[in-house]
Amino acid sequence: MSAGEKRIGITKTQLLILLSLPVYERIYVFPAYSRFNVADNYDYFFIFADRKCRGVFRPVTKSSMQQSNYIIEVKNVSKFFGDKIALDNINLYVKKGEFVTILGPSGCGKTTLLRLIAGFQTASEGEIRIAGQEITQTPPHKRPVNTVFQKYALFPHLNVYDNIAFGLKLKKLPKQIIEKKVKAALRMVGMTDYEYRDVNSLSGGQQQRVAIARAIVNEPEVLLLDEPLAALDLKMRKDMQMELKEMHKTLGITFVYVTHDQEEALTLSDTIVVMSEGRIQQIGTPVDIYNEPINSFVADFIGESNILNGIMIKDKLVRFAGVEFECVDEGFGENMPVDVVVRPEDWYIFPLSDAAQITGTVTSSIFKGVHYEMVVVANGYEFIVQDYHHFDVGQEVGLLVKPFDIHIMKKERVCNSFEGEMIDESHVDFLGCHFECLPVKDIEPGEKVKVVVAFKDIILHDNEEDGTLTGDVRFILYKGDHYHLTVSSDWGEDIYVDTNDVWDNGDHVGISILPEKIKIIKVVDEYKKEKRCSERYDSSCPRVRVGRFLT
């Protein structure tokens, strides 16, 4: 270290906070397992210097790093219901005054996470903080939050005024203050003439407004909303979305909103948290989530997408659907398999001309009110195209997409990979079953192995008795010319399948694999390969610089 520099250990959370501060001229960040031997309770450490490298800099300690503008901190939280994992190591940080939407399909864990924050359920693991206070085991009525439920949960024996005033009366506030607060809440939700109405006489939208007024009248630091608009019709739901957005702006408190409606999330949110199967898939602004999905689940779940297999030929050049396209993405390597995303509205469709990058035939055209949604088959692939102009079914058309409208994603996997154990030279145990394979030499019975099977080599059966094992279809992704399925086996392992057959979510299927499609790899060989790879980045090697230079 040069003069004027200092080294301090920090955690991952503190690192994120540090990098958001505009104080430091340069920061070197190193993993804690490097040759500098940082204490075990730190994930990273950094060396920083002030602008003039004179050693005059703001001290950064563990306590000062934790002082942030996060009002909600969910750290390493998991929730188990028996053997079922509802939430798996969730980490979420919500800023004061932010409108955060937790978005995901049914059963993804979003409502469970909201209930943990509210205190209606208790985390099995991890810690939850609100306004800096640890509240993981704190009962709901002692937390600075209020919840608006999907089914409103209004008291049917109380009128509108008494429903809203209920919490204030429990606090034993003076009658004059209660009246003032209730009337202010009624004005906020536009129901000043309804205070003495019976709640059962109100419409669904009016009841929802009363539920929101009852929540905000207590002036909580955080307002939790569990799919509050799900029971409303389309027009009323859109009206309430705008009212909620205006309320958030006026009140200035933190909103945490749960929904499965992608359009609703994009409309309301400052930040969207996309969840699937108890895990957070991506956190970002609505624009980032829509335009830069991190994986195929997010791309498919948020809006409509054309998702296809592609090959990144080199930087800024990708091949998919049999055609090479210019793009703006870099850093994926050469001739690497990738997933390619093109939104339907990003395709330009026009009568056949030399400007077309790819040509095809319209096979479907549906008027959606604002635009037409068409399916174009080109080079054996189906593309969804949205455009203001109508093209007849059977008409040949040209398609064009601009480089910055093509989004490239790194593939999460390129084949199935399972842990297994050799039974004898032609049988292997994996996925909880015995499978026949081609004879393997130099591997003793009982040795641990890695089993590799291509997506297309997994066979699914309608009759579960025809399979070696069984499973349930959990996720279906259309890739333009085939379906990519995620099947959860009875042993809880995920199996990935490419097929042209049509299956539905929840289908219980039989699963089999032909012997010649099973590839066996010695685990020791994999270990040596990984060791050689890791040695390239060994911190003890003077030729390699450990860490990253961040500016």
Side-chain angles (χ1 to χ4, degrees), residues 185-202:
L186 285 167
R187 281 196 300 273
M188 178 72 67
V189 298
M191 295 191 66
T192 51
D193 297 329
Y194 291 79
E195 52 190 316
Y196 298 114
R197 287 275 295 273
D198 184 346
V199 293
N200 293 317
S201 69
L202 303 179

Side-chain angles (χ1 to χ4, degrees), residues 127-139:
E127 177 184 274
I128 300 174
R129 289 179 175 270
I130 296 181
Q133 300 297 315
E134 200 275 325
I135 51 89
T136 311
Q137 304 297 328
T138 304

Side-chain angles (χ1 to χ4, degrees), residues 377-415:
V377 175
N379 292 355
Y381 291 83
E382 288 185 338
F383 297 96
I384 301 173
V385 180
Q386 293 175 352
D387 198 88
Y388 298 116
H389 301 96
H390 172 64
F391 292 85
D392 293 325
V393 173
Q395 184 175 351
E396 292 191 9
V397 295
L399 296 177
L400 179 147
V401 61
K402 294 183 178 179
F404 51 79
D405 288 327
I406 297 175
H407 177 58
I408 308 298
M409 301 185 301
K410 183 179 179 181
K411 277 191 173 294
E412 298 176 74
R413 64 194 64 82
V414 294
C415 63

Side-chain angles (χ1 to χ4, degrees), residues 132-363:
Q133 300 297 315
E134 200 275 325
I135 51 89
T136 311
Q137 304 297 328
T138 304
H141 66 279
K142 293 186 178 181
R143 301 189 183 199
V145 305
N146 273 91
T147 305
V148 178
F149 300 96
Q150 181 177 345
K151 295 184 178 180
Y152 315 142
L154 298 177
F155 301 115
H157 63 290
L158 300 179
N159 61 25
V160 170
Y161 181 96
D162 290 332
N163 261 281
I164 297 171
F166 187 81
L168 301 176
K169 291 178 179 179
L170 287 179
K171 294 179 180 180
K172 302 186 185 305
L173 294 179
K175 185 176 180 180
Q176 297 84 352
I177 294 178
I178 292 176
E179 184 176 358
K180 181 180 178 181
K181 286 179 175 290
V182 170
K183 288 185 175 181
L186 285 167
R187 281 196 300 273
M188 178 72 67
V189 298
M191 295 191 66
T192 51
D193 297 329
Y194 291 79
E195 52 190 316
Y196 298 114
R197 287 275 295 273
D198 184 346
V199 293
N200 293 317
S201 69
L202 303 179
S203 68
Q206 290 169 337
Q207 289 183 0
Q208 189 58 274
R209 291 178 185 178
V210 174
I212 293 170
R214 184 178 62 181
I216 64 177
V217 76
N218 291 298
E219 299 176 357
E221 294 187 56
V222 178
L223 183 62
L224 307 176
L225 303 103
D226 185 10
E227 303 200 49
L229 310 183
L232 306 181
D233 61 60
L234 179 62
K235 186 178 185 307
M236 188 175 292
R237 190 160 65 242
K238 289 186 177 297
D239 290 342
M240 283 299 298
Q241 286 174 12
M242 294 301 102
E243 290 187 26
L244 278 174
K245 201 172 180 69
E246 188 61 34
M247 280 183 216
H248 174 254
K249 183 179 178 181
T250 303
L251 292 169
I253 63 176
T254 303
F255 278 35
V256 179
Y257 190 98
V258 162
T259 185
H260 62 270
D261 188 321
Q262 302 95 313
E263 183 180 350
E264 196 167 88
L266 294 170
T267 300
L268 293 171
S269 314
D270 299 320
T271 300
I272 296 176
V273 180
V274 183
M275 292 188 64
S276 175
E277 298 179 353
R279 299 186 183 95
I280 292 177
Q281 301 293 315
Q282 187 174 359
I283 301 175
T285 66
V287 173
D288 290 340
I289 293 288
Y290 189 83
N291 291 331
E292 299 291 334
I294 197 170
N295 57 34
S296 55
F297 171 82
V298 178
D300 182 63
F301 188 72
I302 305 295
E304 294 187 76
S305 297
N306 296 285
I307 306 174
L308 299 96
N309 292 329
I311 297 293
M312 199 71 183
I313 298 172
K314 60 180 181 179
D315 286 350
K316 300 183 179 182
L317 186 63
V318 64
R319 181 180 182 85
F320 63 93
V323 179
E324 293 183 3
F325 294 83
E326 292 183 3
C327 60
V328 297
D329 296 272
E330 300 177 312
F332 288 85
E334 295 186 359
N335 298 312
M336 295 296 293
V338 293
D339 281 326
V340 181
V341 180
V342 181
R343 296 289 185 181
E345 67 272 18
D346 291 332
W347 284 111
Y348 290 86
I349 183 171
F350 43 83
L352 282 179
S353 75
D354 293 338
Q357 294 169 317
I358 187 170
T359 60
T361 304
V362 177
T363 60

Side-chain angles (χ1 to χ4, degrees), residues 416-420 430-431 449-453 458 493-496 513:
N416 288 289
S417 178
F418 310 106
E419 294 180 358
F430 66 98
L431 291 173
V449 294
K450 178 180 177 181
V451 181
V452 175
V453 184
I458 304 288
E493 291 193 66
D494 286 341
I495 303 169
Y496 303 96
I513 309 170

